[in-house]
């Protein structure tokens, strides 16, 4: 078993993972359980995907404060299945042109008006919803 640590970098051939945030960045502050998610950026072939896990407001604030330059990404996984996750400001900092919504279509429809979701939907060039099947991301 391996416990991720903020700042850790893992390389597997050309795949590079950078751990931007873990529970240790927040603990012992009280927060939503979801804010204890790990946030990882993955780079491959000059493209970057930011996996936000379930991070919410407190985690968003810490990431913006401590990791702003590292948040830029081509693709962002929308936090907490698009329910009540990351902040609009965090999505702005990513500049992502593709948003991955890990949720069924009915949940996407139910939550697309939330301010952070509405922002990423309006600013992204491509929206991928997991219920719609496997997506091919070109690198």
């Amino acid at each position: 078993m391996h416990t991720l640590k903020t700042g850790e970098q893992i390389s597997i051939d050309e795949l590079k993972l950078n751990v931007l945030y873990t529970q240790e960045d927040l603990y012992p502050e009280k927060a939503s359980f979801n804010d204890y998610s790990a946030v990882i950026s993955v780079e491959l072939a000059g493209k970057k995907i930011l996996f936000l896990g379930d991070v919410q407001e407190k985690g968003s604030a810490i990431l913006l404060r401590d990791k702003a330059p590292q948040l830029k990404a081509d693709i962002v996984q929308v936090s907490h299945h698009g329910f009540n996750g990351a902040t609009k400001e965090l999505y702005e900092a990513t500049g992502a042109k593709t948003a991955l919504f890990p949720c069924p279509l009915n949940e996407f429809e139910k939550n697309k008006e939330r301010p952070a979701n509405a922002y990423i939907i309006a600013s992204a060039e491509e929206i991928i919803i997991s219920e719609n099947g496997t997506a091919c991301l070109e690198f």
Side-chain angles (χ1 to χ4, degrees), residues 64-117:
L64 287 165
R65 182 190 72 207
D66 298 344
K67 303 291 181 179
Q70 297 174 47
L71 296 175
K72 289 285 183 208
D74 301 289
I75 302 164
V76 64
Q77 170 251 317
V78 175
S79 174
H80 199 226
H81 316 281
F83 299 151
N84 56 341
T87 62
K88 173 184 175 268
E89 293 78 16
L90 183 60
Y91 292 122
E92 281 179 313
T94 72
K97 297 299 179 200
T98 300
L100 305 175
F101 277 83
C103 63
L105 187 56
N106 68 323
E107 290 296 334
F108 171 82
E109 290 296 332
K110 191 165 40 173
N111 293 293
K112 69 182 181 182
E113 300 300 323
R114 292 180 181 267
N117 291 348

Side-chain angles (χ1 to χ4, degrees), residues 14-123:
E14 290 102 44
L15 185 72
K16 294 182 178 152
L17 291 87
N18 187 9
V19 181
L20 301 179
Y21 172 89
T22 64
Q23 74 282 357
E24 292 175 346
D25 296 303
L26 183 59
Y27 185 82
E29 185 175 341
K30 300 253 189 237
S32 160
F33 177 77
N34 293 314
D35 262 323
Y36 291 98
S37 292
V39 174
I40 300 169
S41 70
V42 177
E43 292 182 57
L44 179 65
K47 297 285 186 177
K48 187 172 169 185
I49 304 173
L50 185 62
F51 290 98
L52 295 175
D54 287 344
V55 76
Q56 295 187 333
E57 287 184 19
K58 288 185 180 181
S60 293
I62 291 169
L63 283 160
L64 287 165
R65 182 190 72 207
D66 298 344
K67 303 291 181 179
Q70 297 174 47
L71 296 175
K72 289 285 183 208
D74 301 289
I75 302 164
V76 64
Q77 170 251 317
V78 175
S79 174
H80 199 226
H81 316 281
F83 299 151
N84 56 341
T87 62
K88 173 184 175 268
E89 293 78 16
L90 183 60
Y91 292 122
E92 281 179 313
T94 72
K97 297 299 179 200
T98 300
L100 305 175
F101 277 83
C103 63
L105 187 56
N106 68 323
E107 290 296 334
F108 171 82
E109 290 296 332
K110 191 165 40 173
N111 293 293
K112 69 182 181 182
E113 300 300 323
R114 292 180 181 267
N117 291 348
Y119 171 80
I120 195 66
I121 291 167
S123 63

